[in-house]
Amino acid sequence: MTDHPLVSTQWLADHLSSPDLVVINAWMPPVTHPDAPAVFPNAHIPGAVFFDVNEICDKSSDLPHMLPAPHVFSSAMRKLGIGDGQTIVVYDDFGFYSAPRVWWTLKSMGAERVHVLDGGFPKWRAESRPFVDEAPRRVQSHFSARLNNGAVADLEDIRTAIASGDRQILDARSSERFAGDAPEPRAGLKKGHMPTALNLPFTELIHDDGTFCTREELAEAFKRAGVDLDRPVTTTCGSGVTAAILTLALTILGARDLALYDGSWAEWGSRDDTEIATGTD
């Protein structure tokens, strides 16, 4: 097996029959197309299970797809047949969208061997690799969820980071949304960004063919964004999904002391007691 956060389609094809491997189809429709249908019922990688980000979440929160409590997550993983000690490969229908979020969720809940499929299902299908439409049959397994609280930032953590400057805040949204020049796709949110935040649109980390940038390309992208890889970083975005793409890239680069703001702009931009900055300075 591999320790790298990413695995190739060839690697997955070579290991697909491994008894300790489980494949997850991470699903969340884009906020701009909330009614988009999941591909999974009609086509998925053989043996893959379906992880709906909008269902395996904290249903008591008014914010979108917040992390569930550990015992709720354990129950959901058990029903999917995901257990302790397994090697997990996560992919999504778009290449890089919700798969890194599920990767981060599993890692934050204590899973150790979790990877993202580079290029996702589009690359898998483009290479004429096998896919099926029948539901998988997996035996329920025991998953011991142990939340790493340091991996998750909340509203007060962001306020502290802004006031102290001890942590870099890195926003994955587009430069137009970050600057406040474009409207937010979620209704009722203010335009702009958190004071002191830096901006690195997640799209800059993905090649035109849908594969992830190389380590060297990633390092250059973070350098352009003004990120110091030796200092703590908290990632954020619209609702805590594409922020995980930045966290994935930072992990590949060996950065430490990483957190993800789960509420992200869905929380910060909806409140009357949060400070908003605009422009690019």
Side-chain angles (χ1 to χ4, degrees):
M1 294 299 177
T2 178
D3 293 329
H4 198 280
L6 292 179
V7 295
S8 67
T9 50
Q10 185 60 57
W11 186 96
L12 181 56
D14 291 342
H15 294 83
L16 199 55
S17 60
S18 298
D20 68 337
L21 178 77
V22 57
V23 180
I24 295 176
N25 181 186
W27 168 249
M28 196 193 88
V31 65
T32 53
H33 298 87
D35 297 324
V39 174
F40 185 88
N42 298 314
H44 54 266
I45 294 174
V49 296
F50 186 68
F51 186 124
D52 189 332
V53 175
N54 285 328
E55 289 297 322
I56 303 177
C57 63
D58 180 1
K59 292 297 188 67
S60 68
S61 176
D62 293 333
L63 296 170
H65 41 254
M66 296 287 283
L67 276 182
H71 73 278
V72 173
F73 189 76
S74 289
S75 176
M77 294 305 97
R78 182 180 69 249
K79 292 175 182 176
L80 289 179
I82 301 171
D84 296 334
Q86 292 175 329
T87 297
I88 304 169
V89 175
V90 190
Y91 77 92
D92 67 55
D93 298 339
F94 306 102
F96 280 99
Y97 182 57
S98 53
R101 168 71 188 199
V102 173
W103 165 84
W104 172 78
T105 299
L106 285 158
K107 296 288 285 185
S108 299
M109 289 290 182
E112 296 180 355
R113 298 198 299 271
V114 190
H115 313 276
V116 176
L117 181 64
D118 194 8
F121 200 47
K123 189 171 190 293
W124 183 269
R125 293 190 71 167
E127 295 169 346
S128 299
R129 299 189 186 274
F131 58 87
V132 297
D133 60 3
E134 67 263 19
R137 297 179 181 179
R138 293 191 60 84
V139 177
Q140 291 192 6
S141 301
H142 179 72
F143 186 95
S144 305
R146 301 175 299 278
L147 178 61
N148 174 11
N149 290 296
V152 189
D154 61 17
L155 183 78
E156 293 308 315
D157 292 326
I158 297 298
R159 285 188 168 129
T160 298
I162 292 170
S164 68
D166 290 342
R167 299 188 68 89
Q168 301 166 99
I169 302 170
L170 185 60
D171 195 321
R173 293 177 301 155
S174 70
S175 58
E176 293 80 11
R177 288 171 64 189
F178 180 84
D181 294 333
E184 287 296 307
R186 289 182 174 83
L189 299 185
K190 300 172 185 176
K191 296 190 293 184
H193 60 268
M194 301 154 200
T196 77
L198 302 170
N199 182 218
L200 178 53
F202 75 92
T203 52
E204 295 187 11
L205 307 182
I206 303 168
H207 290 139
D208 290 341
D209 67 357
T211 58
F212 219 48
C213 287
T214 65
R215 196 178 192 281
E216 292 73 23
E217 291 167 336
L218 293 175
E220 181 59 32
F222 281 95
K223 182 179 179 180
R224 288 196 307 269
V227 178
D228 184 346
L229 297 177
D230 294 324
R231 294 184 56 225
V233 182
T234 297
T235 59
T236 182
C237 60
S239 64
V241 174
T242 59
I245 298 176
L246 300 186
T247 302
L248 175 67
L250 287 163
T251 301
I252 291 171
L253 292 173
R256 300 185 181 277
D257 198 353
L258 304 176
L260 186 151
Y261 178 21
D262 203 13
S264 282
W265 198 252
E267 179 175 39
W268 192 271
S270 67
R271 298 175 65 97
D272 294 327
D273 60 351
T274 50
E275 187 178 352
I276 307 293
T278 56
T280 56
D281 296 331

